[in-house]
Amino acid sequence: MDPDELRRLAECAKEPIRTPGVIQSHGTLLGVDAATQVVVVASENARSWLGRPFAEIGNPELQGAVRSGSAIDPVRVVWEGSPTDAIVHRVDDLTIVELEALPHDEYARTAVVTAINRLTAVASVAELRQQAAAEIRRVTGFDRVMIYHFHEDGHGEVVADDSVPELESLLGHHFPSSDIPPQARDLYVTKVGRAIASTSSPTIPLLAISDELRTVDLSNAELRGVSPYHLQYMRNMGQASTFSLSLVEDGRLVGMITCAHRTERRLPVLLRRALEVLAAQITMQFASMREIARLRHLVEVRERRTELLAPLYASDDIPSALLRGPRTVLDLVPADGVLVHIGGTSRVAGDVPPLDDMTRVLELLSGEAFVSEGLEADRPDISALLPSTAGLLVVPLAGPDDTLVFFRGEVAREIFWLGDQSAGNRPSQLSPRTSFSTWKSTVRGRSLPWGTVIQDALELGHELETVLHRRAQAQLAELAMRDALTGLHNRRYLAERLAAGSPVDLDGRALLFVDLDDFKSVNDVHGHDVGDVVILEVARRLIAHSRERDVVVRLGGDEFVVLLDVVGGEDVHAIADRMVAAIAAPIETKVATLIVTASCGIVVAEPGASRVGLLEEADAAMYRAKRAGRNRVSS
């Protein structure tokens, strides 16, 4: 935001817009002490009432409203010989009574009901905005009805415009935040509807029986006087009167509806109240549409995220899996390029800077998350390293240096403004613009806004961390079931397989218990390194002579088990004989050619038999083979 705009915002903040001490010229204001029912504040055009009991007004219905401090609807009274609407509300210990002269034109509130019924059938935000502007102009008869949307940085945009044919459309035009400064927006949250009957009529000051009452809070008053700055702004826009409605969502001003007329035009209080209801209806529809769109987006993103992450459990190269599959990380986080760094491996896709420059940027960020749509303005030091990058989104992961980095290039945009924003279009730095003719500026050095993509990227990072954690746990669990030397399944794995509560399946099961004969002598004569070579070779031969569906297990030392889950009539003895013969073949080592034999015990479990005790039976059979002379099979 430029310095002049900041100064304008600071100056606006000084204006006492809630306590202006004046009201608009088309009405009268009385402040009644709630305890004494005496008029203690009065507009100058009712100075004769100051200090008098309010009961002297002679209207029982209005007196009742004043005593209660509120009125559901305006109370119709005759004031100074004319029919007048009296509006009542309470401010601290004062009851404020506003007497507002009726406008010359009559309006039917039923037209608002018709408008609400029509708008409830609209299905899109853009269509709702434009149709709402048209409906409100039809009801009010104003020359122009605009709907504003406020962006995150505070500036506004005209997102709907319905006007008489001779007025140029302002749809799509932007205006700075100082046009509706923060303290005005706070006030507009307090009071939804605001009418400015005339931009040229002089205001009427308030009188009071004490100085502190002269600055009574008029935040909720219909007749509240308006900032001279804003009145000049309206005159410069060619507006003689306006009526505005706040679009308030969760206590926050998200937009406004402004009705403007080139001549003075007023709406009666009851119609303004009905239009406030319409504004609330429009706000709820906007919120519902955005929520529906958000939920749809959430479902779509979750589906895409599941497709992306599911294959990672079986991948040995996580970065490549995120970038090379049918669904990639760029499908979830749209960007021009991406760097994925996980487990010390980096992979890139799309248009990315050199890896050395990206590494330096990550060092500057020190593992912190980062997002920018205008890198040159936000972080010149990083921009110098990434000159072709305007938008940067960095999502750190749990692992050391594990990171997702998304890059977006510059997207130059033309912005149309309500009037030249430069100093030449203002008599002074703090004055409103003198001309509101369309002024165009080109925004450079910025990428497309990240918007909801930021949250999508953070959720992707979180779920990716979960996948990596579970994958690491699964790998650790798998390692716990493996023998460190041979990589075969170990005793723990076999115990869990045999401890299953279900009986042997219909195809039967067999166990081969293989024990090397006199293996201790190999270690004693040639050392444990040669012994490890022999164990590895025996493991390789057992795998080579087993079937694809069989499992070879190293129990420990020189003991092995081959688990045949499916027997299916095959000759288990023949399989065992092949293995024993294969082990007996000479084994070449660096120190000698060795011949090692093995004894094998067999147990075959019939379908439906218990799994418990099979290992012990096979072990007993193996010892029978040893006692029978070794290098043989026994059952």
Side-chain angles (χ1 to χ4, degrees), residues 102-278:
L102 295 179
H104 298 298
D105 297 331
E106 285 292 336
Y107 299 87
R109 284 187 292 171
T110 54
V112 177
V113 176
T114 301
I116 290 175
N117 289 336
R118 287 180 181 145
L119 293 176
T120 53
V122 178
S124 73
V125 170
E127 184 183 356
L128 177 59
R129 285 169 171 167
Q130 193 55 49
Q131 191 164 328
E135 291 287 351
I136 292 173
R137 194 170 80 81
R138 186 179 299 113
V139 170
T140 62
F142 276 79
D143 290 334
R144 185 196 297 276
V145 174
M146 292 180 289
I147 298 182
Y148 304 151
H149 167 71
F150 294 121
H151 291 271
E152 291 297 325
D153 64 355
H155 93 276
E157 180 183 357
V158 180
V159 292
D161 183 6
D162 191 86
S163 58
V164 294
E166 57 267 29
L167 292 178
E168 181 183 358
S169 174
L170 299 178
L171 181 64
H173 284 61
H174 296 243
F175 54 87
S177 58
S178 61
D179 282 8
I180 308 175
Q183 77 274 20
R185 299 185 194 201
D186 290 342
L187 178 59
Y188 297 163
V189 171
T190 303
K191 190 172 188 326
V192 173
R194 300 160 307 285
I196 300 175
S198 173
T199 59
S200 57
S201 296
T203 56
I204 301 173
L206 297 181
L207 308 175
I209 61 174
S210 62
D211 288 341
E212 67 269 16
L213 291 173
R214 192 174 293 111
T215 55
V216 62
D217 188 346
L218 299 181
S219 298
N220 290 306
E222 301 292 332
L223 296 171
R224 179 181 61 84
V226 184
S227 159
Y229 178 95
H230 186 63
L231 292 174
Q232 184 60 54
Y233 178 99
M234 290 174 58
R235 288 194 291 270
N236 291 352
M237 283 198 73
Q239 299 172 349
S241 59
T242 62
F243 173 62
S244 298
L245 294 161
S246 303
L247 301 178
V248 180
E249 190 175 316
D250 296 328
R252 185 171 61 95
L253 188 71
V254 296
M256 284 176 56
I257 301 172
T258 297
C259 310
H261 210 63
R262 289 167 292 179
T263 58
E264 292 185 9
R265 187 174 187 82
R266 285 198 300 117
L267 304 179
V269 177
L270 285 177
L271 180 58
R272 300 203 303 265
R273 294 284 188 270
L275 289 169
E276 290 173 6
V277 174
L278 174 59

Side-chain angles (χ1 to χ4, degrees), residues 156-158 170-175 413-419 421 438-441:
E157 180 183 357
V158 180
L170 299 178
L171 181 64
H173 284 61
H174 296 243
F175 54 87
R413 286 174 287 167
E414 290 185 340
I415 304 294
F416 294 92
W417 294 89
L418 283 171
Q421 303 298 303
T438 299
W439 184 72
K440 182 175 69 173
S441 68

